[in-house]
Amino acid sequence: MEDLHELLLRNARWAERIVEADPQFFKRLVSQQNPEYLWIGCSDSRVPANEIVDLQPGELFVHRNVGNVVAHSDVNAQSVIQFALEVLNVRHIMVVGHYRCSGVHAALHRQPLGGVADAWLSHIREVADQHDELLDAEPLEHRREALLCELNVLEQALNVCHSVPVRNAWSRGQPLTVHGWIYRLGDGRLRHSGLSVSNTRQLDGLRHKAVETIVRMRRAYYAQGQTMPSR
Ligand code: CO
């Protein structure tokens, strides 16, 4: 309880600091939330959504789970996407993975965690199975894991594109772009992972092109002798 008391004190000091800088801040937030973005990221404590993109409360709608998975059978993720599009009218959905993701690591190494965690990680194992030739061609373990982090972003972002709420939004002509991003713990930087989609036509052949982009970028970095982000 004492530990939690510290958190409550921190909260009080945080709220005071905000009001000091902007006395109307919370009053404005009460009346509306108007985020332009839906962030779908990993639950990892090192990847906090608002802080990374330096946005205030009210500016980012957020859904996080282990391994930034977007499964069609997951009513939680699907309803977040629907609410973001139909109530909040967000204009961008970004699926944000990160290197050194424990979920990706466990899925790649088929580590049994037991219980529902294994069922959850099977979504990432499916991504690994789908791209097994590409992954098998990468001899170094940390590179293979980094590659799966990128491929997982791609596949989960494609799942967003194929979700019912997103397809409905595009068929209504609602402006919406779905992005795949990846975060590097080692330097705090986000970067594109080869996917950005604004309508259903762009989905034709997209997986193939996006995978080629990922592979080309990795080859180019390695050829230059640079350390490709993997951490
Ligand atoms: Co993670």
Side-chain angles (χ1 to χ4, degrees), residues 42-44 66-68 98 100-103:
C42 184
S43 298
D44 194 301
V66 174
N68 42 274
H98 67 101
R100 297 182 72 91
C101 179
S102 309

Side-chain angles (χ1 to χ4, degrees), residues 28-178:
R28 277 200 312 277
L29 273 189
V30 167
S31 59
Q32 62 164 357
Q33 65 159 336
N34 192 22
E36 275 189 45
Y37 318 98
L38 165 59
W39 169 292
I40 300 176
C42 184
S43 298
D44 194 301
S45 64
R46 300 165 295 180
V47 194
N50 281 66
E51 283 91 333
I52 285 174
V53 282
D54 198 18
L55 288 179
Q56 294 288 319
E59 295 182 315
L60 194 63
F61 199 54
V62 175
H63 177 75
R64 291 168 69 183
N65 60 44
V66 174
N68 42 274
V69 167
V70 181
H72 295 297
S73 57
D74 178 6
V75 291
N76 185 349
Q78 295 296 322
S79 56
V80 166
I81 294 171
Q82 183 179 349
F83 190 86
L85 289 171
E86 295 177 12
V87 180
L88 300 174
N89 290 309
V90 301
R91 290 184 162 245
H92 300 275
I93 299 177
M94 53 279 254
V95 173
V96 187
H98 67 101
Y99 297 114
R100 297 182 72 91
C101 179
S102 309
V104 169
H105 179 88
L108 182 64
H109 297 281
R110 318 252 155 193
Q111 286 176 344
L113 299 175
V116 290
D118 281 330
W120 185 253
L121 291 179
S122 69
H123 295 298
I124 306 178
R125 287 193 195 107
E126 280 171 18
V127 176
D129 289 341
Q130 194 175 353
H131 297 280
D132 60 344
E133 282 182 23
L134 207 53
L135 289 162
D136 289 346
E138 180 52 80
L140 295 177
E141 189 183 316
H142 71 278
R143 288 188 186 183
R144 195 159 57 238
E145 198 172 305
L147 179 59
L148 183 54
C149 289
E150 293 174 358
L151 293 169
N152 186 47
V153 167
L154 168 64
E155 293 299 337
Q156 305 309 334
L158 284 173
N159 286 345
V160 172
C161 294
H162 289 290
S163 69
V164 172
V166 166
R167 289 204 160 249
N168 286 345
W170 278 335
S171 66
R172 286 194 297 270
Q174 188 171 336
L176 167 70
T177 308
V178 177

